Protein backbone atom coordinates (compact mmCIF):
# COMPACT_ATOMS: atom_id res chain seq x y z
CA UNK A 1 0.00 0.00 0.00
CA UNK A 2 1.57 3.37 -1.07
CA UNK A 3 2.40 5.92 1.49
CA UNK A 4 -0.07 8.83 1.75
CA UNK A 5 2.98 11.11 1.97
CA UNK A 6 3.90 10.40 -1.67
CA UNK A 7 2.28 11.58 -4.87
CA UNK A 8 1.32 9.50 -7.84
CA UNK A 9 4.76 9.89 -9.51
CA UNK A 10 6.46 8.64 -6.33
CA UNK A 11 7.95 11.96 -5.26
CA UNK A 12 7.49 13.46 -1.80
CA UNK A 13 4.75 15.98 -1.53
CA UNK A 14 7.05 18.60 -0.02
CA UNK A 15 9.43 18.44 -2.91
CA UNK A 16 6.58 18.63 -5.44
CA UNK A 17 5.06 21.65 -3.77
CA UNK A 18 8.37 23.45 -3.61
CA UNK A 19 9.07 22.63 -7.25
CA UNK A 20 5.68 23.84 -8.44
CA UNK A 21 5.84 27.01 -6.40
CA UNK A 22 9.35 27.81 -7.64
CA UNK A 23 8.34 27.83 -11.30
CA UNK A 24 9.90 24.49 -12.39
CA UNK A 25 13.00 24.86 -14.52
CA UNK A 26 16.11 26.66 -13.41
CA UNK A 27 15.72 28.99 -16.37
CA UNK A 28 12.71 30.56 -14.65
CA UNK A 29 14.31 30.96 -11.27
CA UNK A 30 14.27 27.38 -9.86
CA UNK A 31 18.03 27.32 -9.50
CA UNK A 32 17.99 30.60 -7.66
CA UNK A 33 15.28 29.40 -5.20
CA UNK A 34 17.20 26.22 -4.52
CA UNK A 35 20.36 28.18 -3.83
CA UNK A 36 18.46 30.53 -1.56
CA UNK A 37 16.87 27.60 0.32
CA UNK A 38 20.28 25.97 0.86
CA UNK A 39 21.71 29.26 2.05
CA UNK A 40 18.93 29.63 4.59
CA UNK A 41 19.56 26.12 5.90
CA UNK A 42 23.27 26.69 6.20
CA UNK A 43 22.70 30.04 7.90
CA UNK A 44 20.46 28.42 10.49
CA UNK A 45 23.04 25.74 11.10
CA UNK A 46 25.88 28.24 11.47
CA UNK A 47 23.90 31.00 13.12
CA UNK A 48 24.12 33.57 10.32
CA UNK A 49 21.42 36.19 9.85
CA UNK A 50 18.79 35.02 7.31
CA UNK A 51 18.61 38.52 5.75
CA UNK A 52 22.33 38.36 4.88
CA UNK A 53 21.84 34.91 3.44
CA UNK A 54 19.03 36.16 1.19
CA UNK A 55 21.24 39.03 0.06
CA UNK A 56 24.01 36.63 -0.88
CA UNK A 57 21.52 34.44 -2.70
CA UNK A 58 20.20 37.41 -4.68
CA UNK A 59 23.79 38.23 -5.73
CA UNK A 60 24.40 34.75 -7.08
CA UNK A 61 25.11 34.36 -10.80
CA UNK A 62 22.08 32.12 -11.27
CA UNK A 63 19.76 34.63 -9.68
CA UNK A 64 21.17 37.58 -11.65
CA UNK A 65 20.92 35.66 -14.90
CA UNK A 66 17.29 34.68 -14.26
CA UNK A 67 16.16 38.07 -12.96
CA UNK A 68 16.63 39.92 -16.30
CA UNK A 69 14.39 39.11 -19.22
CA UNK A 70 15.98 37.92 -22.42
CA UNK A 71 16.36 40.53 -25.12
CA UNK A 72 13.82 40.13 -27.82
CA UNK A 73 15.54 39.66 -31.13
CA UNK A 74 14.13 42.35 -33.38
CA UNK A 75 14.58 42.77 -37.09
CA UNK A 76 18.18 43.45 -38.14
CA UNK A 77 18.84 47.14 -38.81
CA UNK A 78 20.48 48.17 -42.06
CA UNK A 79 23.99 49.66 -41.76
CA UNK A 80 24.18 53.47 -42.00
CA UNK A 81 24.86 54.83 -45.48
CA UNK A 82 28.49 55.80 -46.15
CA UNK A 83 29.43 59.44 -45.87
CA UNK A 84 29.98 61.40 -49.07
CA UNK A 85 33.54 61.83 -50.21
CA UNK A 86 33.79 65.49 -49.20
CA UNK A 87 32.62 64.78 -45.62
CA UNK A 88 35.13 62.03 -44.93
CA UNK A 89 38.17 62.71 -42.79
CA UNK A 90 41.48 61.60 -44.22
CA UNK A 91 43.06 59.88 -41.23
CA UNK A 92 46.29 59.12 -43.06
CA UNK A 93 47.11 62.10 -45.31
CA UNK A 94 50.17 61.91 -47.49
CA UNK A 95 53.28 63.97 -46.91
CA UNK A 96 52.66 65.89 -50.12
CA UNK A 97 49.12 66.78 -49.03
CA UNK A 98 50.35 68.05 -45.66
CA UNK A 99 53.09 70.10 -47.32
CA UNK A 100 50.68 71.68 -49.81
CA UNK A 101 48.15 72.56 -47.09
CA UNK A 102 50.90 74.09 -44.96
CA UNK A 103 52.21 76.09 -47.91
CA UNK A 104 48.72 77.33 -48.72
CA UNK A 105 48.13 78.40 -45.11
CA UNK A 106 51.44 80.27 -44.99
CA UNK A 107 50.68 81.88 -48.36
CA UNK A 108 47.27 83.17 -47.23
CA UNK A 109 48.62 84.41 -43.89
CA UNK A 110 51.59 86.20 -45.45
CA UNK A 111 49.50 87.73 -48.23
CA UNK A 112 47.05 89.16 -45.71
CA UNK A 113 49.89 90.57 -43.62
CA UNK A 114 51.49 92.24 -46.65
CA UNK A 115 48.22 93.68 -47.95
CA UNK A 116 48.83 97.02 -46.28
CA UNK A 117 47.45 99.03 -49.21
CA UNK A 118 44.34 96.97 -49.86
CA UNK A 119 42.04 99.83 -48.85
CA UNK A 120 42.08 103.50 -47.95
CA UNK A 121 41.65 102.61 -44.29
CA UNK A 122 44.63 100.23 -44.31
CA UNK A 123 47.84 100.99 -42.47
CA UNK A 124 49.51 102.21 -45.68
CA UNK A 125 46.34 103.48 -47.32
CA UNK A 126 47.95 106.81 -48.21
CA UNK A 127 50.41 105.02 -50.55
CA UNK A 128 47.59 103.32 -52.47
CA UNK A 129 47.41 105.94 -55.31
CA UNK A 130 51.13 105.49 -55.99
CA UNK A 131 50.74 101.72 -56.06
CA UNK A 132 47.85 102.01 -58.51
CA UNK A 133 50.01 104.18 -60.77
CA UNK A 134 52.68 101.49 -60.63
CA UNK A 135 49.96 98.97 -61.47
CA UNK A 136 49.22 100.80 -64.74
CA UNK A 137 52.91 100.68 -65.69
CA UNK A 138 52.75 96.89 -65.75
CA UNK A 139 49.42 96.54 -67.53
CA UNK A 140 49.37 94.84 -70.91
CA UNK A 141 47.47 97.52 -72.84
CA UNK A 142 50.07 100.32 -72.44
CA UNK A 143 52.82 97.91 -73.46
CA UNK A 144 50.90 96.72 -76.52
CA UNK A 145 49.98 100.26 -77.63
CA UNK A 146 53.53 101.50 -77.11
CA UNK A 147 55.06 98.57 -79.01
CA UNK A 148 52.70 99.02 -81.97
CA UNK A 149 53.41 102.74 -82.08
CA UNK A 150 57.17 102.26 -82.05
CA UNK A 151 56.88 99.53 -84.66
CA UNK A 152 55.00 101.85 -86.98
CA UNK A 153 57.51 104.64 -86.45
CA UNK A 154 60.60 102.49 -86.84
CA UNK A 155 62.54 102.84 -90.11
CA UNK A 156 65.33 100.30 -89.57
CA UNK A 157 65.26 96.53 -90.02
CA UNK A 158 67.07 95.93 -86.74
CA UNK A 159 64.57 98.04 -84.80
CA UNK A 160 61.63 96.35 -86.47
CA UNK A 161 63.06 92.96 -85.67
CA UNK A 162 63.38 93.75 -81.98
CA UNK A 163 59.94 95.37 -81.81
CA UNK A 164 58.35 92.50 -83.72
CA UNK A 165 59.68 90.01 -81.20
CA UNK A 166 58.61 92.29 -78.36
CA UNK A 167 55.08 92.23 -79.77
CA UNK A 168 55.29 88.45 -80.07
CA UNK A 169 56.41 88.22 -76.42
CA UNK A 170 53.52 90.39 -75.21
CA UNK A 171 50.94 88.37 -77.15
CA UNK A 172 52.43 85.11 -75.86
CA UNK A 173 52.28 86.44 -72.31
CA UNK A 174 48.62 87.43 -72.60
CA UNK A 175 47.72 84.05 -74.09
CA UNK A 176 49.53 81.90 -71.52
CA UNK A 177 48.36 83.91 -68.51
CA UNK A 178 44.72 83.85 -69.68
CA UNK A 179 44.95 80.11 -70.32
CA UNK A 180 46.40 79.28 -66.89
CA UNK A 181 43.95 81.57 -65.11
CA UNK A 182 41.04 79.89 -66.87
CA UNK A 183 42.32 76.45 -65.91
CA UNK A 184 43.27 77.11 -62.27
CA UNK A 185 40.41 79.53 -61.45
CA UNK A 186 41.87 80.69 -58.15
CA UNK A 187 39.90 83.54 -56.64
CA UNK A 188 41.57 86.78 -55.73
CA UNK A 189 42.17 87.52 -52.02
CA UNK A 190 39.12 88.41 -49.98
CA UNK A 191 40.55 91.82 -49.01
CA UNK A 192 40.99 92.88 -52.65
CA UNK A 193 38.94 95.74 -54.09
CA UNK A 194 37.94 95.17 -57.71
CA UNK A 195 38.95 98.66 -58.91
CA UNK A 196 41.64 97.51 -61.31
CA UNK A 197 42.58 99.19 -64.57
CA UNK A 198 40.78 97.71 -67.64
CA UNK A 199 39.89 94.17 -66.59
CA UNK A 200 38.70 91.27 -68.75
CA UNK A 201 36.70 88.17 -67.88
CA UNK A 202 39.72 86.12 -66.73
CA UNK A 203 41.03 88.97 -64.58
CA UNK A 204 38.70 87.96 -61.77
CA UNK A 205 41.07 85.03 -61.17
CA UNK A 206 44.32 85.38 -59.30
CA UNK A 207 46.81 82.70 -60.37
CA UNK A 208 49.22 83.65 -61.83
CA UNK A 209 49.87 87.37 -61.64
CA UNK A 210 49.92 88.84 -65.14
CA UNK A 211 51.76 91.92 -63.95
CA UNK A 212 54.50 89.74 -62.43
CA UNK A 213 54.90 87.68 -65.61
CA UNK A 214 55.04 90.86 -67.70
CA UNK A 215 57.54 92.49 -65.36
CA UNK A 216 59.91 89.53 -65.52
CA UNK A 217 59.48 89.16 -69.28
CA UNK A 218 59.98 92.85 -70.10
CA UNK A 219 62.91 93.34 -67.76
CA UNK A 220 64.75 90.35 -69.20
CA UNK A 221 63.93 91.44 -72.75
CA UNK A 222 65.17 95.00 -72.16
CA UNK A 223 68.35 93.90 -70.43
CA UNK A 224 69.24 91.57 -73.30
CA UNK A 225 68.39 93.80 -76.26
CA UNK A 226 68.99 97.37 -75.12
CA UNK A 227 72.34 98.87 -74.28
CA UNK A 228 71.81 100.59 -70.94
CA UNK A 229 74.05 102.01 -68.28
CA UNK A 230 74.38 100.14 -65.02
CA UNK A 231 72.11 102.53 -63.05
CA UNK A 232 69.38 102.07 -65.65
CA UNK A 233 69.77 98.31 -65.58
CA UNK A 234 69.41 98.36 -61.80
CA UNK A 235 66.35 100.58 -62.17
CA UNK A 236 64.73 98.06 -64.55
CA UNK A 237 65.27 95.19 -62.13
CA UNK A 238 64.01 97.32 -59.23
CA UNK A 239 60.90 98.25 -61.23
CA UNK A 240 60.09 94.57 -61.84
CA UNK A 241 60.56 93.68 -58.16
CA UNK A 242 58.52 96.61 -56.80
CA UNK A 243 55.76 95.93 -59.33
CA UNK A 244 55.44 92.35 -58.14
CA UNK A 245 55.47 93.45 -54.49
CA UNK A 246 52.79 96.06 -55.18
CA UNK A 247 50.43 93.32 -56.37
CA UNK A 248 50.49 91.79 -52.89
CA UNK A 249 50.38 95.14 -51.09
CA UNK A 250 47.27 96.18 -53.05
CA UNK A 251 45.62 92.87 -52.19
CA UNK A 252 45.36 91.87 -55.85
CA UNK A 253 47.33 88.65 -55.54
CA UNK A 254 48.75 86.18 -53.08
CA UNK A 255 52.48 85.69 -52.68
CA UNK A 256 52.50 82.43 -54.64
CA UNK A 257 50.69 84.13 -57.55
CA UNK A 258 53.48 86.67 -57.87
CA UNK A 259 56.26 84.11 -57.36
CA UNK A 260 54.90 81.84 -60.08
CA UNK A 261 54.34 84.89 -62.28
CA UNK A 262 58.03 85.82 -62.05
CA UNK A 263 59.00 82.26 -62.94
CA UNK A 264 56.58 82.11 -65.86
CA UNK A 265 57.75 85.44 -67.24
CA UNK A 266 61.37 84.35 -67.02
CA UNK A 267 60.57 81.17 -68.97
CA UNK A 268 58.53 83.08 -71.53
CA UNK A 269 61.57 85.03 -72.60
CA UNK A 270 63.40 81.74 -73.13
CA UNK A 271 60.61 80.70 -75.49
CA UNK A 272 60.77 84.03 -77.34
CA UNK A 273 64.55 83.80 -77.62
CA UNK A 274 64.30 80.24 -78.96
CA UNK A 275 61.60 81.21 -81.49
CA UNK A 276 63.24 84.53 -82.39
CA UNK A 277 61.61 86.07 -85.45
CA UNK A 278 63.92 87.47 -88.10
CA UNK A 279 63.77 88.27 -91.83
CA UNK A 280 65.49 84.94 -92.43
CA UNK A 281 62.99 82.60 -90.71
CA UNK A 282 59.87 84.81 -91.13
CA UNK A 283 60.42 86.85 -94.32
CA UNK A 284 56.72 87.03 -95.18
CA UNK A 285 55.87 88.65 -91.86
CA UNK A 286 58.53 91.34 -92.22
CA UNK A 287 57.65 91.92 -95.85
CA UNK A 288 53.99 92.46 -95.04
CA UNK A 289 54.88 94.85 -92.22
CA UNK A 290 57.28 96.85 -94.39
CA UNK A 291 54.49 97.47 -96.91
CA UNK A 292 52.25 99.08 -94.30
Amino acid sequence: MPSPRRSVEGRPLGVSASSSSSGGSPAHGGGGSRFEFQSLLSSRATGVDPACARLRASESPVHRRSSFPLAVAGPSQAPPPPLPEEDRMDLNPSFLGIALRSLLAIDLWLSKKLGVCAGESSSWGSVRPLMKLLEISGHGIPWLVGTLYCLCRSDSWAGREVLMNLLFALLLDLLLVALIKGLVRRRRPAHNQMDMFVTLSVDKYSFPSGHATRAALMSRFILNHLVLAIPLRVLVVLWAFVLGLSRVMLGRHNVTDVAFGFFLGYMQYSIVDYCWLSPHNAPVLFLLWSQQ
Side-chain angles (χ1 to χ4, degrees):
M1 183 175 180
S3 173
R5 293 280 182 180
R6 296 183 177 272
S7 62
V8 179
E9 291 83 4
R11 292 179 296 179
L13 293 176
V15 175
S16 175
S18 62
S19 301
S20 61
S21 62
S22 61
S25 63
H28 292 80
S33 301
R34 188 179 298 110
F35 185 83
E36 183 179 359
F37 179 72
Q38 292 176 357
S39 300
L40 290 174
L41 290 179
S42 60
S43 64
R44 288 179 181 178
T46 56
V48 182
D49 189 7
C52 296
R54 290 191 184 93
L55 181 60
R56 292 173 185 173
S58 64
E59 294 177 354
S60 65
V62 178
H63 186 20
R64 287 199 302 266
R65 186 168 58 248
S66 62
S67 60
F68 294 98
L70 296 177
V72 180
S76 61
Q77 297 180 356
L83 293 175
E85 190 68 26
E86 60 271 11
D87 292 342
R88 296 181 183 178
M89 181 185 296
D90 191 4
L91 299 180
N92 190 19
S94 62
F95 176 77
L96 181 60
I98 295 176
L100 289 178
R101 291 189 184 96
S102 302
L103 179 61
L104 180 61
I106 295 174
D107 178 34
L108 296 177
W109 174 80
L110 186 59
S111 303
K112 190 173 182 179
K113 287 293 183 181
L114 292 176
V116 292
C117 302
E120 288 76 7
S121 59
S122 302
S123 56
W124 286 24
S126 58
V127 194
R128 183 176 172 83
L130 180 61
M131 292 296 174
K132 294 187 70 174
L133 184 63
L134 189 62
E135 177 183 45
I136 298 175
S137 70
H139 200 276
I141 292 181
W143 280 98
L144 283 174
V145 173
T147 303
L148 288 173
Y149 176 77
C150 293
L151 189 58
C152 294
R153 300 284 296 180
S154 178
D155 54 357
S156 65
W157 285 99
R160 287 178 182 176
E161 181 179 344
V162 173
L163 291 171
M164 186 75 70
N165 286 275
L166 180 58
L167 181 63
F168 169 62
L170 290 171
L171 294 177
L172 178 65
D173 173 65
L174 292 175
L175 180 63
L176 289 180
V177 170
L179 181 63
I180 297 176
K181 282 188 175 184
L183 290 176
V184 178
R185 295 175 179 268
R186 185 184 189 184
R187 294 290 181 181
R188 292 188 180 270
H191 54 279
N192 174 47
Q193 296 183 9
M194 294 298 294
D195 55 350
M196 297 178 290
F197 175 74
V198 188
T199 59
L200 300 176
S201 59
V202 293
D203 288 331
K204 61 183 178 181
Y205 301 121
S206 175
F207 186 89
S209 171
H211 284 70
T213 60
R214 203 167 299 112
L217 174 62
M218 291 299 100
S219 61
R220 194 177 178 194
F221 192 98
I222 292 172
L223 293 177
N224 282 275
H225 295 284
L226 291 182
V227 180
L228 299 175
I230 294 179
L232 292 179
R233 298 174 73 89
V234 173
L235 187 62
V236 170
V237 176
L238 186 62
W239 166 80
F241 175 76
V242 174
L243 179 60
L245 182 61
S246 68
R247 306 308 291 161
V248 183
M249 295 177 66
L250 285 171
R252 308 293 196 208
H253 293 278
N254 297 307
V255 177
T256 51
D257 303 335
V258 176
F260 185 80
F262 280 143
F263 172 75
L264 183 61
Y266 187 89
M267 297 306 297
Q268 281 177 357
Y269 176 78
S270 300
I271 298 174
V272 172
D273 188 53
Y274 181 79
C275 304
W276 186 263
L277 302 177
S278 66
H280 301 287
N281 57 16
V284 178
L285 183 61
F286 283 88
L287 183 61
L288 291 175
W289 191 264
S290 62
Q291 293 178 356
Q292 297 294 328

